[in-house]
Amino acid sequence: MADKFESLEQQLELFIENTRQLGIIVSDFQPLGQGQNVLNQKINTMVSEMQEIEKFRPLLQDVHVPLEVFNYIDEGKNPNLYTKDCLEKALEKNEQVKGKMDNLKRFKGLLMVELTKVFPNEMNMYRALKGEDRLK
Amino acid sequence: MADPLRRPEQISPRSSPRDRGSRSPACPRPDSTGTLKTTISLGKNPSVKHTGPFYCVKDIPEQSEITGSTNLLHHYGLEHSYNKFCGKKVKEELSAFLPHLPGNIDTPGVQDNSSLRMLIEKPPITGKELSQLSGLALAGFRLHPGPLPEQYRMMHQMPSKKKKHKKHKKEGDKGNALSEAQTVDNASDAESRKPKKQKKEEEKDKDGKKKKKKEKKKKKQKHSPEHTVSHSGETGS
């Protein structure tokens, strides 16, 4: 799977390099030289490279990209920051939920103790019921 | 002895502290499965049989392996990724992620209509066959002598990197402005600055080394027996 991404990346880099060279040819045009012919060749190379990139489309149909990454790229930010933010948010949420669960367990323990003091018989029945339910 | 089974009147919703006051049948009742455990039988001998011990005792949900309290990063094997992305400092610029791309890619895409959002909102026309251009089509790309418009001149040039040293900040800004206008001069300036920088760095290194050597000599002299003897001799006299 990583191979197709690498080959696509290489193809895109070639395309971008070709486009860059086109820009140089256009900006540094010499009427007496072979600029026009070279430009025509480069344009056709661009078309053939687009055809090569088009061939990658069926291989990448199942690749899903989160839309939030596009916001980062459009702002000129590193997309690795999105991954970093996701991991940090996941960890933060994980810690929050763990804290809630730990506190609820602690509360349950304290509540059981206090209820046993006030309603001993009922709590014995409750524990017996809980035991049956767990076995189920 | 206390009757372990409570009377149904005590368990009915009417007597529950939550449901004080009237509740009309038009209002949708909340889900009460597992809360009211009684069976009411009508007929000759109507009776209300108590089937559960407690009101509000719901069935316990099944325990799952993964809960919110498990370390999810460890569970899914993302510790290495976490250390890689969050342990080290990640550069904010897009050019740090794509260093080989020409041009200035750190600017927002909205400025030059090159944003990916626009690509999603207004997708281009696809499905047409890509074919090589004929001679007639290529005639439209005929070049003419003359300068390029200013907005298109710097598009293929790489942006010069910002210098970290504060001293060279002002010089760097001026140098950046000049370098953007002249690509050849930029390359030659960079090459000429390199030996100067190297010389300065070498001089600094030499000075630092000299200082370290001097300090080491002083330490050795302090701890050497000759120094202590001479020192004690001087104090004694």
Side-chain angles (χ1 to χ4, degrees), chain A residues 52-106:
Chain A
E52 292 297 319
I53 291 167
E54 179 74 16
K55 288 174 187 174
F56 283 98
R57 200 207 280 196
L59 299 172
L60 300 166
Q61 288 285 345
D62 297 330
V63 176
H64 298 285
V65 180
L67 283 175
E68 288 85 7
V69 186
F70 289 176
N71 294 335
Y72 279 74
I73 295 168
D74 288 340
E75 288 169 15
K77 287 184 190 174
N78 193 341
N80 284 335
L81 286 173
Y82 170 75
T83 313
K84 182 186 170 187
D85 291 343
C86 275
L87 286 166
E88 284 175 348
K89 279 180 194 172
L91 185 70
E92 191 185 324
K93 193 75 185 175
N94 200 178
E95 284 173 350
Q96 273 180 16
V97 174
K98 187 179 187 306
K100 282 183 188 173
M101 288 180 72
D102 289 345
N103 279 318
L104 283 168
K105 281 178 189 173
R106 223 177 290 161

Side-chain angles (χ1 to χ4, degrees), chain A residues 24 27, chain B residues 153-154 156-158 178-190:
Chain A
I24 293 168
S27 63
Chain B
R153 272 182 203 168
M154 305 304 146
H156 61 275
Q157 292 170 9
M158 294 289 285
L178 289 170
S179 63
E180 283 175 2
Q182 299 167 7
T183 55
V184 176
D185 291 337
N186 190 16
S188 62
D189 285 340

Side-chain angles (χ1 to χ4, degrees), chain B residues 58-206:
Chain B
K58 292 186 180 179
D59 294 330
I60 302 164
E62 289 180 6
Q63 285 187 350
S64 59
E65 289 179 10
I66 308 167
T67 60
S69 63
T70 51
N71 187 347
L72 296 171
L73 288 175
H74 179 71
H75 181 81
Y76 289 106
L78 293 171
E79 284 171 328
H80 178 71
S81 301
Y82 180 80
N83 291 330
K84 182 184 162 189
F85 287 104
C86 302
K88 299 171 193 174
K89 193 180 175 185
V90 177
K91 289 185 182 175
E92 287 197 14
E93 298 84 23
L94 185 58
S95 54
F97 183 71
L98 298 166
H100 303 296
L101 283 189
N104 191 5
I105 58 173
D106 295 332
T107 53
V110 183
Q111 287 180 4
D112 52 359
N113 291 326
S114 63
S115 64
L116 293 167
R117 271 284 165 190
M118 290 296 289
L119 201 67
I120 295 163
E121 288 167 8
K122 291 179 186 177
I125 299 163
T126 56
K128 291 190 177 179
E129 193 186 344
L130 292 163
S131 56
Q132 298 283 329
L133 296 175
S134 61
L136 282 171
L138 284 170
F141 294 98
R142 197 171 293 165
L143 294 168
H144 298 281
L148 271 180
E150 284 185 15
Q151 57 184 327
Y152 301 118
R153 272 182 203 168
M154 305 304 146
M155 283 178 79
H156 61 275
Q157 292 170 9
M158 294 289 285
S160 55
K161 289 180 184 178
K162 290 179 186 176
K163 291 179 186 173
K164 289 181 184 178
H165 298 292
K166 288 182 183 177
K167 288 179 185 176
H168 298 289
K169 216 177 183 181
K170 289 179 184 177
E171 292 174 3
D173 290 337
K174 288 179 187 174
N176 289 340
L178 289 170
S179 63
E180 283 175 2
Q182 299 167 7
T183 55
V184 176
D185 291 337
N186 190 16
S188 62
D189 285 340
E191 286 173 0
S192 64
R193 278 174 201 163
K194 276 181 188 175
K196 284 182 187 175
K197 279 185 189 175
Q198 282 177 356
K199 282 181 187 174
K200 283 183 185 176
E201 283 174 2
E202 284 173 3
E203 285 174 2
K204 281 181 186 175
D205 288 337
K206 281 181 185 175

Side-chain angles (χ1 to χ4, degrees), chain A residues 24-42:
Chain A
I24 293 168
I25 292 166
V26 169
S27 63
D28 193 21
F29 172 61
Q30 293 168 2
L32 299 173
Q34 293 288 319
Q36 187 62 52
N37 291 333
V38 175
L39 178 73
N40 293 343
Q41 281 175 16
K42 290 286 178 189

Side-chain angles (χ1 to χ4, degrees), chain A residues 105-118:
Chain A
K105 281 178 189 173
R106 223 177 290 161
F107 174 68
K108 182 195 169 185
L110 289 170
L111 189 65
M112 294 281 275
V113 165
E114 295 300 322
L115 282 171
T116 309
K117 287 178 191 172
V118 181

